[in-house]
Amino acid sequence: MNTEAEKSNLTVPKVTSAEICPSPEPTKKDAKELGKPVPDQLALRAARAVNWLQIIGWASGIIFLWAGSAFFLSEALSERPNPGAVPPSISDLATIFFGASSLALIAFSLILAIAALIQWQSLKAEVARVVDSARTNLERADRAAEESRERLASLEGKMQSRFNMIENELRGRVDAVMGVAIGTLHVNPTAAKQKDGIEHHIAEVLVYCNRSYKLLKDLGGNGKYMALNNLLYFSSFVDLTAKRDELLTQARQLRDVAEQFEDRPHIAPYFLTFCRVVLIYSSVIHEIEEALAIAKDLSAKRPTQFLGLEATYLMTSLSAKLDRLSGSAR
């Protein structure tokens, strides 16, 4: 029994850095936010210059007021007093000058307060802009982190699924090898009657083959056909008449697969398994004739010496069964 099977189309997933740490795709909201014009640095400097001009203007007004007061006092002192009038004393002039200075200082303090208020409003607006920008960037970072977590979770799920498939593939093929190894040691495919006492060995083989087929039948690739071939082949060496219809249906399915891949060099055992199941369980004349034609073709081609001997045995047995059924029909 040739145990070579078609390679399954399973490949180990290649993980790229872009899948592990993917760059978040911008959303519509992000596009709108990115499309907003960024405040121009020149405009900010112009606004600050305007504020300083206001401060300078107010300070100039105070200086002008103080200079005007001083000029008024100097003019008042330079005038000749009227006859009989009492000229102001030094203390009176000092009091007037002190009052003017106090008013100028108060006005200057008010100017500084106004300037501080203006600068505070400007600084407040700048801080608000920076806070809004930081909040926007933080929201983008949160969205990017969330998308990255989702993609990583999705990637982890895909990788786990792929690893499960690979594990089932390996376990199924190991069970298939174990079943074929045990079965090949105890069966004689060119003998009409097997040795006594091999039933328990075949039962063990069928356990491995059934488990292999269950693991591989739902996976992609052609490994399931290899497992089905092993299961049907060794089932033909024991009496499973109760499963006759199921075995014939699976044998026909295996024949269709073999015809689909007829050009492959390792497909001959699939045809031989079909012929053997038909020999054991089928009583339909045209199906036996079809199996006989396949066995004759393989016997003539002899893909290997061992398969050629088995094909010759099946050809002889199918021919005898066909003669027996045809004789009974007549």
Side-chain angles (χ1 to χ4, degrees):
M1 175 64 182
N2 187 2
T3 61
E4 184 181 0
E6 296 188 16
K7 294 182 179 179
S8 176
N9 299 325
L10 289 177
T11 56
V12 178
K14 295 181 179 180
V15 183
T16 62
S17 59
E19 291 175 314
I20 296 176
C21 299
S23 300
E25 298 180 357
T27 61
K28 293 183 178 180
K29 183 177 180 181
D30 292 335
K32 291 181 179 179
E33 292 177 351
L34 290 174
K36 291 181 179 179
V38 179
D40 190 9
Q41 296 295 328
L42 185 59
L44 292 176
R45 292 179 180 179
R48 291 173 182 172
V50 170
N51 293 335
W52 279 109
L53 286 175
Q54 292 177 354
I55 295 173
I56 293 172
W58 283 99
S60 299
I62 294 300
I63 294 173
F64 179 77
L65 179 62
W66 184 81
S69 300
F71 177 76
F72 175 75
L73 290 176
S74 64
E75 288 294 327
L77 291 175
S78 63
E79 290 181 358
R80 186 179 295 276
N82 296 324
V86 180
S89 63
I90 298 299
S91 60
D92 293 335
L93 293 176
T95 301
I96 294 173
F97 185 77
F98 180 77
S101 299
S102 298
L103 291 175
L105 182 60
I106 293 172
F108 184 72
S109 300
L110 291 176
I111 291 299
L112 290 179
I114 294 172
L117 183 61
I118 293 173
Q119 285 297 103
W120 164 248
Q121 293 297 328
S122 177
L123 180 62
K124 184 178 179 181
E126 184 72 13
V127 170
R129 187 187 66 81
V130 172
V131 170
D132 291 340
S133 177
R135 186 178 292 110
T136 300
N137 292 334
L138 183 60
E139 291 176 356
R140 291 179 183 174
D142 290 340
R143 286 198 299 270
E146 183 64 25
E147 291 178 3
S148 298
R149 283 193 293 268
E150 292 177 357
R151 293 194 178 192
L152 285 174
S154 176
L155 178 61
E156 183 180 359
K158 291 179 180 179
M159 292 180 63
Q160 185 62 44
S161 176
R162 186 63 59 87
F163 288 151
N164 291 338
M165 291 176 61
I166 295 175
E167 180 184 2
N168 290 337
E169 175 86 8
L170 293 175
R171 289 175 56 194
R173 290 188 177 273
V174 169
D175 286 339
V177 171
M178 290 293 297
V180 171
I182 297 173
T184 304
L185 291 174
H186 294 90
V187 300
N188 184 1
T190 59
K193 184 178 180 181
Q194 301 297 315
K195 295 183 294 184
D196 295 334
I198 69 166
E199 290 80 5
H200 64 282
H201 294 295
I202 300 300
E204 184 180 3
V205 169
L206 292 180
V207 169
Y208 283 113
C209 291
N210 268 302
R211 193 161 59 195
S212 173
Y213 182 60
K214 287 180 180 178
L215 287 171
L216 296 177
K217 67 179 181 178
D218 294 329
L219 300 179
N222 299 323
K224 56 187 174 184
Y225 302 125
M226 175 271 298
L228 179 60
N229 176 67
N230 295 339
L231 178 61
L232 293 176
Y233 182 80
F234 290 107
S235 296
S236 63
F237 290 98
V238 292
D239 185 10
L240 295 177
T241 308
K243 301 176 63 177
R244 171 180 175 275
D245 293 337
E246 180 183 353
L247 292 174
L248 284 172
T249 300
Q250 291 177 332
R252 296 180 188 113
Q253 179 186 358
L254 191 64
R255 175 204 58 195
D256 295 339
V257 172
E259 290 176 350
Q260 182 181 356
F261 300 100
E262 191 172 1
D263 58 328
R264 306 288 178 88
H266 55 269
I267 209 68
Y270 292 10
F271 283 117
L272 291 179
T273 298
F274 168 73
C275 295
R276 183 174 288 277
V277 173
V278 169
L279 172 65
I280 302 299
Y281 296 108
S282 181
S283 58
V284 180
I285 292 180
H286 73 84
E287 193 168 45
I288 297 174
E289 291 175 344
E290 180 186 3
L292 178 59
I294 293 175
K296 286 181 179 180
D297 182 63
L298 291 176
S299 178
K301 291 181 178 179
R302 285 185 175 269
T304 65
Q305 183 178 2
F306 183 78
L307 292 176
L309 293 174
E310 186 175 0
T312 302
Y313 164 76
L314 291 173
M315 179 184 67
T316 304
S317 301
L318 287 167
S319 180
K321 183 174 183 177
L322 184 61
D323 292 341
R324 187 168 60 254
L325 290 176
S326 299
S328 62
R330 288 195 297 267

